[in-house]
Amino acid sequence: MVLLDLLGRRWVLRILWELRGSPLTFRALQAACGGLSPSVLNSRLSELRDTGIVEQRIDEGYALTEQGRELLSQLAPLTAWSEKWARSLA
């Protein structure tokens, strides 16, 4: 339930999605998320760091940890299902 609560918080999935490639600085991550206030981003990053899903790397910015990358891979089937579902609604 703790994970579902975390993932259900506004912007968390978007932040994880934007970090799927390479590390991003705070400003780059904020720009990639579009419309995300600095205070909310800071709060979400803190929560994600506390849970070991995101780490802050010196001179690189924020990045997914190994657990974070594993979490995204576990969400891949949900992504595939949601794309199929969206097509069925069209």
Side-chain angles (χ1 to χ4, degrees), residues 63-81:
L64 294 175
T65 62
E66 183 62 37
Q67 286 181 326
R69 287 189 295 279
E70 185 178 348
L71 173 60
L72 277 186
S73 74
Q74 296 300 314
L75 293 174
L78 183 59
T79 301
W81 181 90

Side-chain angles (χ1 to χ4, degrees), residues 6-81:
L6 177 63
L7 294 179
R9 292 181 187 159
R10 191 168 184 185
W11 295 105
V12 167
L13 289 173
R14 178 68 183 267
I15 292 166
L16 296 177
W17 177 255
E18 296 300 341
L19 292 175
R20 73 192 182 284
S22 59
L24 293 173
T25 64
F26 186 91
R27 286 183 186 223
L29 183 54
Q30 184 182 17
C33 290
L36 177 56
S37 74
S39 61
V40 172
L41 179 56
N42 193 38
S43 175
R44 296 301 177 259
L45 287 171
S46 178
E47 294 165 346
L48 290 166
R49 283 193 319 267
D50 289 347
T51 56
I53 294 171
V54 168
E55 63 186 354
Q56 187 174 12
R57 297 179 182 171
I58 298 173
D59 296 330
E60 288 186 283
Y62 295 90
L64 294 175
T65 62
E66 183 62 37
Q67 286 181 326
R69 287 189 295 279
E70 185 178 348
L71 173 60
L72 277 186
S73 74
Q74 296 300 314
L75 293 174
L78 183 59
T79 301
W81 181 90

